[in-house]
Amino acid sequence: MLRVEVSKQLGDFHLKASFGGEARVTGLFGASGAGKTSLINMIAGLLRPDRGMIVIDGEILDDTSAHTHVPAHRRRIGYVFQDARLFPHLDVRQNLDYGRRMNRVVDDPAQRARVIDLLDVGGLLDRRPGQLSGGERQRVALGRALLAQPRLLLLDEPLGSLDDERKVEILPYLVRLRDEANVPMVYVSHDANEMRQLATSVVMLNRGRVAGFGGIEILPGASLPA
Amino acid sequence: MFEISPAEWTAIELSLRVASVATLVATPLGIAVAWLLARRDFWGKSLLDALIHLPLVLPPVVTGYLLLLTFGRRGLIGGWLAEHVGLVFAFRWTGAALACGIMAFPLLVRPMRLSIEAVDRRLEQAAGTLGAAPWRVFSTITLPLALPGVLAGMVLGFAKAIGEFGATITFVSNIPGETQTISTAIYSLIQTPDGDTAALRLVVVSVIISLAALVISEWFARRAVQRLHGN
């Protein structure tokens, strides 16, 4: 259960949004510049709200009135970035293992095998990120975030940097992730089609404000400009 | 002509020892300062930056004399250290190492700072979301990615330390077997009748060491680029 109620001034741009719910996949839908990334950066703890609170499963992560701010590394919230951000000096195996090492979790080979299998990255384990295609990189980034055992997974346009062919290649993995990984997700995109396939509830964001909230039926027919 | 005498070997050995100790002691401090300058904003940052670069622009003889005033036997810090820790700098090889370390510091810090600045902060953020506390982000992401630059800084610092002359001779003089390095030995030999060939031998040794340092430093710089691109 996630509850977000924040406001933040970013230069000339004012972001003020509140939403919540228990959806398996909450889609944050809006055009570029609507404040989607700033919003999930606040959920991740990478950006501090000026005012408001962020609560997950009853635990307060941000509460500006009480000066509460849990730093990103203690939130157990996974983040898949648009540009993957794999660590270039580590191979795929070490990238996947990074979160477990940092959280000092005991090695769980069965869990690792499940995730590697789910995302089909078994053949890439000894490669460096520089030797991967864009789609492969994004799959490894998904696995890396999952293996840190987050209680919530944030995905910021994970298909945004891929061409249409690659998108079609990755989308089924995201659907499998939603149905099998058992981690609630917040999925950011400006692509209505993607949203329809993945989201279970939708938050429409427009110029820093929530413009609509509901099921996927509130999505417009066409995608918004990138 | 190419026979290196025991006295010359002593100077070479002492130079290597002084430069190695100076580099090894300066490195952790240099990494810390480089990180502060690259990643933090704090009051007095430009003052710290200026202070580090001071030995680069001051006449070395001034730096040496300032060291004599502060780290000499009767100096504020030197006196205290000699009495309480038993560490004496004046007219000892340790003093040569201190002088070389301070003179080499700006050259050692610069590549370290540049390579830390070049590390993508978004990777550090990603590490944070995976549960890495700030110091573990530094030790597992920032430092390994900046490592070639750190090593390049060490090599450059070492090369500077081994060639240091002005501050060293002012602070700890030119005592054979204690503080006489390659540079100060060459200086003495040039002023001695018939010292020319011996001086020339040390000049050749010094050129070889410096050239090797530059080549190694260049190699590390190339590695840095490869590392950041993940091949």
Side-chain angles (χ1 to χ4, degrees):
Chain A
M1 166 84 188
L2 173 70
R3 193 155 66 83
V4 178
E5 205 182 313
V6 290
S7 75
K8 173 97 186 162
Q9 190 71 39
L10 296 154
D12 291 337
F13 182 75
H14 187 236
L15 176 66
K16 186 170 167 44
S18 64
F19 67 92
E22 286 187 84
R24 221 160 2 137
V25 179
T26 306
L28 268 185
F29 182 73
S32 171
K36 306 185 298 282
T37 299
S38 302
L39 198 52
I40 61 167
N41 278 346
M42 279 192 258
I43 300 174
L46 299 176
L47 192 64
R48 262 180 109 138
D50 295 338
R51 257 188 306 281
M53 57 194 314
I54 296 170
V55 183
I56 184 168
D57 299 333
E59 190 190 332
I60 295 168
L61 298 181
D62 268 294
D63 181 0
T64 51
S65 62
H67 300 286
T68 303
H69 174 75
V70 177
H73 67 274
R74 295 213 195 94
R75 293 197 171 198
R76 294 206 302 115
I77 294 180
Y79 199 145
V80 178
F81 301 88
Q82 180 172 352
D83 50 353
R85 301 195 194 178
L86 299 181
F87 305 129
H89 59 303
L90 304 178
D91 63 24
V92 168
R93 191 190 311 274
Q94 292 165 321
N95 265 285
L96 290 173
D97 208 33
Y98 188 82
R100 185 191 65 74
R101 267 175 56 218
M102 291 304 120
N103 294 306
R104 301 176 198 277
V105 178
V106 185
D107 195 14
D108 182 352
Q111 156 79 350
R112 185 169 43 218
R114 244 192 327 271
V115 171
I116 288 174
D117 195 42
L118 181 77
L119 295 164
D120 240 338
V121 292
L124 310 173
L125 294 177
D126 294 318
R127 290 210 221 153
R128 286 291 187 95
Q131 301 163 321
L132 302 178
S133 72
E136 289 169 337
R137 238 175 262 163
Q138 216 46 274
R139 266 149 58 199
V140 174
L142 277 167
R144 184 179 69 172
L146 271 182
L147 282 169
Q149 305 191 359
R151 52 184 163 180
L152 175 71
L153 192 57
L154 307 170
L155 301 108
D156 185 12
E157 309 233 16
L159 307 181
S161 60
L162 306 176
D163 55 43
D164 288 339
E165 228 170 289
R166 294 275 164 277
K167 278 184 194 172
V168 174
E169 173 196 320
I170 304 292
L171 213 54
Y173 290 107
L174 291 171
V175 173
R176 269 167 83 178
L177 201 69
R178 177 191 68 192
D179 298 338
E180 294 173 31
N182 214 13
V183 181
M185 307 198 276
V186 174
Y187 189 91
V188 167
S189 180
H190 64 272
D191 186 321
N193 241 333
E194 248 172 79
M195 275 295 168
R196 252 189 287 279
Q197 292 186 61
L198 285 169
T200 56
S201 88
V202 176
V203 177
M204 297 246 265
L205 215 56
N206 187 21
R207 293 184 194 166
R209 298 285 186 280
V210 173
F213 184 80
I216 52 172
E217 69 279 356
I218 69 168
L219 288 165
S223 288
L224 297 171
Chain B
M1 163 81 200
F2 293 109
E3 198 71 37
I4 293 173
S5 76
E8 289 156 36
W9 272 124
T10 307
I12 294 169
E13 186 266 332
L14 194 73
S15 277
L16 292 172
R17 189 194 331 160
V18 163
S20 305
V21 168
T23 308
L24 290 178
V25 174
T27 294
L29 203 64
I31 293 172
V33 168
W35 183 81
L36 275 176
L37 292 175
R39 284 288 192 257
R40 283 277 177 269
D41 277 314
F42 52 91
W43 188 88
K45 181 174 174 174
S46 32
L47 187 69
L48 176 67
D49 200 16
L51 216 59
I52 288 161
H53 284 91
L54 211 52
L56 211 57
V57 286
L58 276 180
V61 64
V62 172
T63 306
Y65 190 61
L66 287 174
L67 281 173
L68 199 55
L69 289 180
T70 46
F71 285 93
R73 278 248 185 219
R74 270 186 281 279
L76 202 63
I77 304 172
W80 189 89
L81 281 175
E83 197 178 319
H84 298 279
V85 189
L87 184 61
V88 176
F89 288 110
F91 306 110
R92 299 278 173 84
W93 73 270
T94 45
L98 177 65
C100 290
I102 284 175
M103 293 300 286
F105 202 64
L107 288 168
L108 176 126
V109 167
R110 192 164 192 82
M112 294 184 182
R113 175 185 179 170
L114 290 176
S115 63
I116 290 174
E117 277 172 354
V119 173
D120 193 341
R121 302 186 81 148
R122 294 174 309 166
L123 293 175
E124 297 172 350
Q125 281 188 337
T129 66
L130 289 163
W135 69 272
R136 301 202 82 190
V137 173
F138 177 77
S139 65
T140 60
I141 305 296
T142 318
L143 192 59
L145 284 172
L147 195 61
V150 168
L151 294 172
M154 288 174 74
V155 175
L156 222 55
F158 179 84
K160 169 69 189 173
I162 212 157
E164 215 294 312
F165 176 79
T168 310
I169 201 165
T170 312
F171 181 33
V172 295
S173 183
N174 187 0
I175 308 160
E178 184 64 45
T179 63
Q180 188 174 69
T181 60
I182 296 178
S183 307
T184 50
I186 292 172
Y187 173 73
S188 297
L189 285 167
I190 297 170
Q191 296 185 321
T192 316
D194 310 321
D196 293 358
T197 43
L200 201 60
R201 279 197 292 272
L202 287 178
V203 166
V204 171
V205 169
S206 140
V207 167
I208 290 172
I209 293 175
S210 305
L211 216 58
L214 280 177
V215 170
I216 294 170
S217 156
E218 194 53 39
W219 184 78
F220 282 131
R222 272 205 309 276
R223 290 268 320 208
V225 175
Q226 284 173 5
R227 234 166 208 269
L228 290 169
H229 291 90
N231 294 311

